[in-house]
Amino acid sequence: MAAEKTSRPTMAQVAKLAGVSPTTVSLVINDDPRAKSISEPTRDRVAEAVRSLGYRPNHAARGLRTQKSETLGFITDEIATAPFAGDTIRGAQDYSWKRNHLLTVLNTGGDPSMEEASIEMVLGRQVDGIIFGAMYTREVAPPRSLERTRAVLLNCYAPGSTYISVIPAEKEGGRTATQILLDAGHRRIGFINGLGTTYAAKERLKGYRQALRDNGVSYEPRLVRNGNYHSDSGHRHARELLTGENPPTALFCSSDRMAVGAYYAIMELGLSIPRDVSVVGYDNQLELAAYASPPMTTIQLPHYELGYTAARYLLEDAPSNGQGGGTVHEIECPAVIRDSVGPPPN
């Protein structure tokens, strides 16, 4: 015998069980601003009726009425596949869910044709807006098709455009890292930076120089090296700096990976951290920084906060069709203090 087909609970049934009107149910379950005038006991009755009946709103039907899909698009070049950037997606997802929106993530691999196709795909599904993100902070030329909806740029920026951009405060992060070492008493601080052409490297160098200047310490170009963000360059540059004339007593490395390379170089030279050399990293990759020996003081790249803030601006402040806006919002890169910094050796 065929199983009896059960009908989907309706809003009218919820209203009848709760002893209120369907309009009241609609206001409560949709978190409508007008629901503020509804008493708490009435809200509780509606919520209990929803739970009791197993009622679920028909989002497709609601979308036809409101012309809103309650879905956001998140289009990225490489964020979705990066091993340590999943928090960016989680942040965007958390805020989207907070506002009863789903998040659809598409990874383009940096292919412009895939980029355009992805935007067309989510626009065809009537998304309420798009987060357009980049793995590494950089200047971008937003696709023209992005102008057909609300959009926010994440970890990238477009000078002269009208889009809101959300990026990390890299200059301040570089200043904070250097200031930690200055506050510990160091005056000769080596800086193993990343690729000199990248936005992050340029901004972190500005922060390094600002901290030195603010503390009356002369900038010495020979104490600054450009690495590749990987441990091999951290190892090489740390050895060169520490075996040179008048070596630094501290190293600021522009990634935790390079800082790990510096750790190995320090160990190979028979020195210890932080007794002989202090080290500060950047990124706060937990599997590297927290479990280094000693645990590494570093600067946190705010992956989660970037995603969360981008979704918040998209749903609250982003203008439609790229009109207005044009503001760049920088998210703080806070210090994570561990055990790799001490006073300089006598």
Side-chain angles (χ1 to χ4, degrees), residues 20 35 37 49 79 94 109 125 139 153 163 165 168-169 178 180 187 191 218 227 229 244 248 280 293 311 338:
V20 298
S37 62
I79 289 177
D94 282 356
R125 284 160 174 74
E139 181 178 330
L153 305 183
Y163 292 104
S165 299
T178 310
I180 289 170
R187 290 300 178 267
F191 180 28
S218 298
Y229 294 113
V280 173
S293 182
R338 297 192 179 97

Side-chain angles (χ1 to χ4, degrees), residues 90-101 304 307-309 311-313 315-316:
R90 186 167 62 86
Q93 179 176 276
D94 282 356
Y95 191 80
S96 300
W97 283 3
K98 181 177 179 180
R99 293 291 301 274
N100 298 315
H101 279 67
Y304 179 89
Y308 189 93
T309 304
R312 178 167 63 84
Y313 279 126
L315 287 169
E316 294 182 6

